[in-house]
Amino acid sequence: MSPAGPHEGAVPRGSIVACPDGPLLVRGDVPVVDDRGNPVEKHRATVALCRCGASAIKPWCDGSHKAIGFEAP
Ligand code: FES
């Protein structure tokens, strides 16, 4: 039997998932802050952060990654 890790049994409060060739999906209780640490209001329970650099509404994804052919795992 292995010893329990610090997060064993913990219920995740949120998650960040990288979409293939697309944004980072932020779900649940994960704060988004700007470069000064100020909270950025999330308008939904799940939001998409741009990681291609082409969005006109950063930090949010506006779908531009498709038009530029962004590729990432
Ligand atoms: S990841 Fe969607 S616009 Fe950049």
Side-chain angles (χ1 to χ4, degrees):
M1 178 184 235
S2 64
H7 302 292
E8 187 147 328
V11 177
R13 296 183 316 156
S15 64
I16 301 174
V17 177
C19 294
D21 305 332
L24 298 173
L25 293 183
V26 180
R27 294 187 174 107
D29 189 17
V30 177
V32 177
V33 298
D34 66 17
D35 60 336
R36 295 183 177 181
N38 300 312
V40 175
E41 183 179 347
K42 295 192 298 185
H43 46 285
R44 301 180 187 154
T46 299
V47 294
L49 292 174
C50 175
R51 67 175 173 147
C52 76
S55 175
I57 57 168
K58 293 180 191 82
W60 315 120
C61 169
D62 69 357
S64 295
H65 58 271
K66 293 177 187 168
I68 67 167
F70 179 68
E71 294 182 2

